[in-house]
Amino acid sequence: MKVKIVHATQGCENTSCPTIYVNEQGNYVIQGFKIKPTDKKGLNLPQGEDAVEIPADFLKAFIAKQQ
């Protein structure tokens, strides 16, 4: 899958921080912090899906850029 960075954490040069990418189909790929298995107990995640945590201010800044 080919992806392009569309929003990166400010001050993070090596993309090891939360990052939002867009793929060839125009879908977003989100890089975030792994959630512990015990924290996933309240989530109803089907097989093949997972969840990551990203800071609220990071997501708000991305949304603001889209408007």
Side-chain angles (χ1 to χ4, degrees):
M1 169 182 8
K2 291 184 181 180
V3 295
K4 174 182 152 188
I5 294 175
V6 292
H7 186 68
T9 301
Q10 192 171 10
C12 185
E13 287 98 36
N14 62 4
T15 64
S16 65
C17 303
T19 305
I20 299 175
Y21 305 86
V22 65
N23 68 15
E24 294 169 303
Q25 292 78 35
N27 296 321
Y28 294 109
V29 177
I30 309 294
Q31 175 184 336
F33 301 106
K34 282 183 162 184
I35 296 174
K36 295 182 226 166
T38 54
D39 293 337
K40 292 181 189 181
K41 287 184 179 180
L43 302 175
N44 185 20
L45 297 171
Q47 188 173 356
E49 291 187 9
D50 210 340
V52 296
E53 183 175 357
I54 57 171
D57 59 340
F58 173 80
L59 187 57
K60 288 177 185 175
F62 172 70
I63 292 168
K65 280 177 36 178
Q66 306 310 301
Q67 298 175 4

